[in-house]
Amino acid sequence: MEARVVRAVQKRQVLFLCVFLGMSLAGAEPLRYFVAEETERGTFLTNLAKDLGLGVGELRARGTRIVSDQNLPFLLLNPLTADLILNEKLDREELCGPREPCVLPFQLLLEKPFQIFRAELRVRDINDHSPVFLDREISLKILESTTPGAAFLLESAQDSDVGTNSLSNYTISPNAYFHINVHDSGEGNIYPELVLNQVLDREEIPEFSLTLTALDGGSPPRSGTALVRILVLDINDNAPDFLQSLYKVQVPENSPVGSIVVSVSARDLDTGSNGEIAYAFSYATEIILKTFQINPTSGSLHLKAELDYEAIQTYTLTIQAKDGGGLSGKCTVVIEVTDINDNRPELLLSSLTSPIAENSSETVVAVFRIRDRDSGNNGKTACSIQDDLPFILKPSVENFYTLVTEKPLDRERNTEYNITITVTDLGTPRLKTKHNITVLVSDVNDNAPAFTQTSYTLFVRENNSPALHIGSISATDRDSGTNAQVTYSLLPPQDPHLPLASLVSINADNGHLFALRSLDYEALQAFEFRVGAADRGSPALSSEALVRVLVLDANDNSPFVLYPLQNGSAPCTELVPRAAEPGYLVTKVVAVDGDSGQNAWLSYQLLKATEPGLFGVWAHNGEVRTARLLSERDAAKHRLVVLVKDNGEPPRSATATLHVLLVDGFSQPYLPLPEAVPVQDQDDSLTVYLVVALASVSSLFLSSVLLFVAVRLCRRSRAASVGRCSVPEGPFPGHLVDVSHTGTLSQSYQYEVCLTGGSRTNEFKFLKPIIPNLLPQSTGRVVALQDKKVQTRIAAAAPLTGKSSRTWKPTGSLDAKEKTAGSSEEDYSLQYF
């Protein structure tokens, strides 16, 4: 029967809740739910999705949770159905005591987006407690002279239930002398009075034993009993009378135990034992008896235990003064407990988000609530964090705060933040609470790899071994994890002709560079390319750097002689007049070295000579000069071997062979030996020529003078005279042989060559230098070598540095008159060396 009644009550409560919930939401009032105490765990209360007008999925996605100040898990939210379920049995008397209604406030917290709904659970009382008297026996002393109608105050019973289930009536066992009157104290409490119906006669009935019954208003009602023992006394006609019927006092909650709260005083006009007054509590509750004690003689009220404003703010006490004759009086003492700032603010953290991705916009980091159990200014709080942090506090309803990022975070500057939330109340003295929160910042790939240098210069010596490590590049990434893992690569070269893939390779993990093949300085002195560094983030970021590789020279090339040619052909012979002074420039050995630097610094020295001491070689420029005056005793032909050596380590060298012919003058004919003639035959022919030259030196000298005179006359009157430089059929212009800066001559030379018109021979008659500032050694000889072909061999003081010979071909050819029988017409050529 009781279960059906409870279910009917619950149905009515649910119906009432639906109506009330709509009204509360419309008026911004808290959501209210009702439940009877001692209801079984797991009982369905309501569906929050319907109450809030949200879908079940939306409610779950918004991270709904239940938050309460008591931190009691009395409610449970089913995330799948959004049902609000009772999580445990509730004892209304334990939760709220005598307070009615019993309200348990809580909040519905929705995080995404942040929203709070206030709600409360009201626990309805059931009649589960019977009235109880603290004293099982009540003693009264009544004078026999007491007039009918006199009332005697009795101890009241205690009932933990409230409302209709609380104490509602008193009865006493049937008798002819007494009855019970029930009075309301005005504060929701009732107390019984024993009223005398007729005059007592001590001699007839000296003592009464009556049963006092206390009844509550429950259904069915519960009861409790106490025995009332009445002693009939002799006459005492004055009851104690208090000076004040009501005492009001304010006591700070931090008053020490044992301190006096208030002193009450009563007087009795009787004398003797009838005038002696004893003070005591009347129908005091258990809490009052534990908190206060009264001196029965002086009436001083003392603290027996500490007061707590946050628990009980007001105490109402009834003090009885009883004389020795059994008469009594009463007064009421109202004690108001005043609040002091003795509670620090509390920070109740509801949610915390960590880590937070860097570069994200305004993000809710934490949601918390501030609570201070004090009142007034003592309960008002202020909340703050450090000023140097990129976070701000935003207040919300019901003392809720959200900690929000003020700007995007940068993990590379700070990987974590230690936030201290300081809560201070406004009481005196001010109390504060600090709560530390650590927020981690997660990485986002927002930094490209950075090379330690914008460009790298690497050096590698030529002829290196393949796969040689030639250097390293390095890049760092300020991100972390895979976002900071760097991979290196070669970028396509800007020069399409550079075979970069066959020259170098790179280790993708550490940036080491390797030469893939042996490098040749003479073929490739330097090359450059770009390398890239990319991280493994998403999306990947990259950067570039320039790498320049310089190939260092090694001494791997021997000197090469350009002049005189050493190709195995007919040797080149230098003519030196016997009248040459010491230091006469015979020729110059010209050599080059394919290397560079000191590996290409060449030095010259005379390795072998036919007559040591006759010729010398300058070490730095390869000039071959006479070391002394020539004499008739000196051999006509000399063979010199010049050693050309570079300055490398180890040094490399080459040799050049020179043939020098001493002649008495440049008019002496000299015919080089045929190329096919062996060297020994050439030496014998040269000896014959020298002998002939010595025998005809005088005639040659005279011929030379005549030639010089004829040439001068030819220049002055070239058109009129038969001896002018012309050919029989027309003028044959003289050709200037220009050897300016061709080869290694130290100065420019020009020679004019003319042919005699009627000699019928092919011999050049005159050789004259055009530039007047020639060295004295600069002389020439013109010799007819063969028919219809003229070669001019010029031995100059300045040696050659370029090619060993040059050829010029005149524009015209010899006239038919100049031809000899059986000869063919050929071009004229000039050869100098």
Side-chain angles (χ1 to χ4, degrees):
M1 179 66 181
E2 181 178 356
R4 287 197 298 270
V5 171
V6 171
R7 284 196 296 270
V9 171
Q10 290 178 348
K11 290 181 181 179
R12 289 195 299 272
Q13 290 174 352
V14 172
L15 180 61
F16 174 77
L17 279 176
C18 293
V19 177
F20 182 78
L21 181 59
M23 297 176 60
S24 62
L25 288 175
E29 291 293 326
L31 303 174
R32 290 176 181 166
Y33 304 96
F34 295 84
V35 65
E37 68 172 330
E38 303 299 331
T39 300
E40 290 297 326
R41 181 177 181 270
T43 301
F44 169 82
L45 297 180
T46 185
N47 185 277
L48 290 181
K50 294 180 180 179
D51 295 346
L52 300 179
L54 302 175
V56 175
E58 181 182 358
L59 196 68
R60 181 171 59 253
R62 293 186 63 180
T64 305
R65 65 175 65 189
I66 298 175
V67 181
S68 66
D69 291 345
Q70 288 80 10
N71 293 326
L72 298 176
F74 53 86
L75 294 176
L76 181 65
L77 177 62
N78 189 332
L80 298 179
T81 62
D83 291 338
L84 188 63
I85 301 172
L86 190 65
N87 195 35
E88 61 182 13
K89 282 187 177 182
L90 301 180
D91 187 349
R92 193 207 66 81
E93 288 74 23
E94 180 181 351
L95 292 174
C96 301
R99 186 173 72 249
E100 180 66 15
C102 181
V103 178
L104 300 180
F106 64 96
Q107 295 82 33
L108 299 177
L109 176 61
L110 282 68
E111 294 186 358
K112 302 174 183 177
F114 180 78
Q115 193 174 6
I116 294 177
F117 293 90
R118 294 185 300 156
E120 59 186 29
L121 179 65
R122 298 200 174 192
V123 182
R124 300 187 61 182
D125 182 56
I126 64 173
N127 194 23
D128 57 345
H129 292 86
S130 299
V132 176
F133 290 92
L134 297 181
D135 294 328
R136 304 298 295 177
E137 182 176 327
I138 302 174
S139 297
L140 288 179
K141 294 178 181 180
I142 302 176
L143 293 174
E144 60 179 349
S145 59
T146 302
T147 59
F152 303 92
L153 186 64
L154 298 179
E155 178 184 355
S156 63
Q158 305 292 324
D159 194 339
S160 299
D161 295 325
V162 295
T164 58
N165 296 323
S166 64
L167 191 63
S168 63
N169 194 17
Y170 291 92
T171 61
I172 200 166
S173 56
N175 66 90
Y177 290 91
F178 300 95
H179 73 273
I180 292 294
N181 282 344
V182 179
H183 295 277
D184 190 351
S185 65
E187 296 178 359
N189 296 323
I190 61 174
Y191 58 91
E193 283 187 344
L194 186 65
V195 180
L196 183 63
N197 293 331
Q198 60 183 3
V199 177
L200 298 175
D201 186 358
R202 178 182 174 280
E203 287 72 23
E204 182 180 357
I205 305 176
E207 181 178 351
F208 295 88
S209 294
L210 305 176
T211 302
L212 178 65
T213 303
L215 300 172
D216 61 20
S219 179
R222 292 176 176 265
S223 62
T225 61
L227 178 64
V228 179
R229 189 178 297 277
I230 303 172
L231 296 178
V232 181
L233 302 177
D234 288 337
I235 296 174
N236 180 22
D237 55 354
N238 290 288
D241 184 22
F242 281 92
L243 299 180
Q244 296 177 228
S245 60
L246 178 65
Y247 291 83
K248 285 188 176 182
V249 63
Q250 291 183 341
V251 180
E253 63 174 326
N254 62 342
S255 298
V257 175
S259 61
I260 296 178
V261 177
V262 67
S263 293
V264 296
S265 178
R267 60 182 180 177
D268 195 322
L269 299 178
D270 295 327
T271 60
S273 61
N274 294 329
E276 296 179 354
I277 299 176
Y279 299 93
F281 293 120
S282 177
Y283 55 90
T285 64
E286 184 178 359
I287 294 177
I288 292 176
L289 294 177
K290 289 181 178 180
T291 308
F292 303 97
Q293 65 180 6
I294 190 169
N295 189 315
T297 304
S298 63
S300 299
L301 188 64
H302 298 264
L303 277 179
K304 189 177 180 182
E306 293 182 348
L307 301 177
D308 187 0
Y309 173 85
E310 289 71 37
I312 299 177
Q313 292 81 33
T314 303
Y315 294 90
T316 301
L317 292 76
T318 300
I319 298 178
Q320 182 183 47
K322 184 182 293 186
D323 58 18
L327 299 179
S328 63
K330 66 175 183 176
C331 72
T332 302
V333 178
V334 177
I335 301 173
E336 295 180 356
V337 182
T338 59
D339 182 47
I340 63 168
N341 195 24
D342 60 342
N343 290 281
R344 294 182 181 274
E346 299 176 68
L347 188 148
L348 307 175
L349 188 64
S350 299
S351 66
L352 174 64
T353 303
S354 179
I356 297 176
E358 63 174 332
N359 300 334
S360 56
S361 57
E362 182 176 329
T363 304
V364 176
V365 179
V367 178
F368 60 91
R369 185 182 183 187
I370 303 301
R371 180 178 67 184
D372 195 317
R373 298 184 182 275
D374 296 321
S375 63
N377 288 335
N378 296 333
K380 296 179 180 179
T381 59
C383 188
S384 64
I385 60 174
Q386 303 100 302
D387 295 333
D388 57 345
L389 296 178
F391 299 92
I392 57 174
L393 286 175
K394 289 186 176 182
S396 183
V397 297
E398 296 291 329
N399 287 332
F400 273 92
Y401 288 83
T402 56
L403 180 64
V404 184
T405 56
E406 185 178 18
K407 58 184 179 180
L409 305 180
D410 187 0
R411 191 204 65 83
E412 287 69 41
R413 294 185 59 185
N414 285 303
T415 58
E416 67 177 34
Y417 291 89
N418 292 318
I419 306 172
T420 301
I421 303 175
T422 303
V423 184
T424 307
D425 62 25
L426 303 182
T428 303
R430 295 194 174 189
L431 301 179
K432 66 174 57 177
T433 299
K434 292 185 177 181
H435 189 87
N436 294 322
I437 296 176
T438 300
V439 178
L440 303 178
V441 183
S442 61
D443 184 51
V444 174
N445 192 27
D446 57 347
N447 290 278
F451 282 95
T452 56
Q453 300 173 216
T454 56
S455 63
Y456 296 82
T457 301
L458 307 179
F459 298 90
V460 57
R461 190 168 298 277
E462 65 171 331
N463 304 324
N464 59 283
S465 60
L468 176 68
H469 177 241
I470 60 175
S472 300
I473 60 173
S474 178
T476 57
D477 197 312
R478 297 177 60 196
D479 295 321
S480 64
T482 57
N483 295 333
Q485 295 179 4
V486 180
T487 302
Y488 302 92
S489 62
L490 297 177
L491 300 181
Q494 297 179 352
D495 184 2
H497 303 292
L498 179 65
L500 183 61
S502 63
L503 291 176
V504 294
S505 67
I506 190 170
N507 188 310
D509 297 326
N510 53 29
H512 291 176
L513 290 168
F514 300 90
L516 294 180
R517 60 181 175 86
S518 180
L519 302 178
D520 186 3
Y521 173 83
E522 288 70 36
L524 184 63
Q525 287 80 31
F527 62 95
E528 62 183 27
F529 55 92
R530 303 192 72 82
V531 294
D535 57 30
R536 297 185 181 177
S538 179
L541 302 179
S542 61
S543 60
E544 299 180 4
L546 179 67
V547 178
R548 181 175 178 82
V549 179
L550 300 180
V551 182
L552 301 179
D553 182 49
N555 192 25
D556 58 346
N557 289 281
S558 300
F560 178 75
V561 178
L562 295 177
Y563 181 83
L565 287 177
Q566 305 294 310
N567 56 5
S569 61
C572 181
T573 303
E574 305 293 340
L575 301 180
V576 178
R578 289 184 179 273
E581 297 291 333
Y584 175 82
L585 179 61
V586 177
T587 186
K588 181 176 182 179
V589 177
V590 179
V592 294
D593 195 311
D595 297 320
S596 65
Q598 67 177 10
N599 294 330
W601 295 351
L602 302 181
S603 60
Y604 304 83
Q605 70 182 62
L606 187 59
L607 185 62
K608 293 181 181 180
T610 304
E611 290 188 16
L614 181 58
F615 298 96
V617 179
W618 285 23
H620 299 294
N621 57 14
E623 293 180 352
V624 180
R625 296 179 180 271
T626 57
R628 59 177 174 80
L629 287 174
L630 303 178
S631 65
E632 297 296 335
R633 298 178 182 179
D634 294 327
K637 182 178 180 181
H638 294 267
R639 182 174 178 272
L640 306 179
V641 178
V642 178
L643 177 67
V644 184
K645 183 172 63 174
D646 60 25
N647 198 36
E649 184 62 38
R652 292 178 176 266
S653 61
T655 59
T657 302
L658 300 175
H659 295 274
V660 179
L661 183 63
L662 303 184
V663 296
D664 292 331
F666 286 113
S667 60
Q668 179 179 354
Y670 167 70
L671 296 176
L673 298 176
E675 296 178 1
V677 179
V679 177
Q680 185 62 37
D681 295 341
Q682 293 179 8
D683 293 342
D684 295 341
S685 299
L686 184 58
T687 303
V688 174
Y689 280 111
L690 290 177
V691 172
V692 174
L694 291 175
S696 58
V697 64
S698 299
S699 60
L700 290 177
F701 177 73
L702 181 59
S703 299
S704 299
V705 174
L706 292 176
L707 286 174
F708 275 104
V709 174
V711 170
R712 281 188 173 276
L713 293 176
C714 184
R715 291 181 60 188
R716 292 179 182 177
S717 56
R718 180 171 301 180
S721 177
V722 179
R724 294 174 185 170
C725 296
S726 62
V727 294
E729 297 298 325
F732 187 80
H735 296 279
L736 295 179
V737 181
D738 186 2
V739 293
S740 62
H741 300 289
T742 58
T744 59
L745 294 176
S746 60
Q747 301 186 31
S748 299
Y749 297 89
Q750 287 186 346
Y751 293 90
E752 184 175 326
V753 180
C754 297
L755 295 175
T756 58
S759 62
R760 293 292 181 178
T761 65
N762 294 330
E763 181 181 4
F764 291 111
K765 297 300 182 180
F766 188 74
L767 176 64
K768 175 188 175 184
I770 303 303
I771 299 177
N773 59 350
L774 294 175
L775 294 175
Q777 299 86 344
S778 301
T779 58
R781 178 187 176 96
V782 179
V783 182
L785 298 180
Q786 45 184 286
D787 289 341
K788 298 184 182 178
K789 183 175 182 180
V790 180
Q791 289 187 347
T792 304
R793 172 166 289 187
I794 303 170
L800 300 174
T801 59
K803 297 181 179 179
S804 60
S805 65
R806 289 183 184 268
T807 302
W808 291 269
K809 292 185 179 181
T811 57
S813 61
L814 292 178
D815 189 78
K817 298 179 181 181
E818 304 262 8
K819 300 179 181 177
T820 59
S823 63
S824 61
E825 182 176 345
E826 299 179 4
D827 292 338
Y828 289 91
S829 64
L830 299 178
Q831 182 178 5
Y832 77 94
F833 55 94

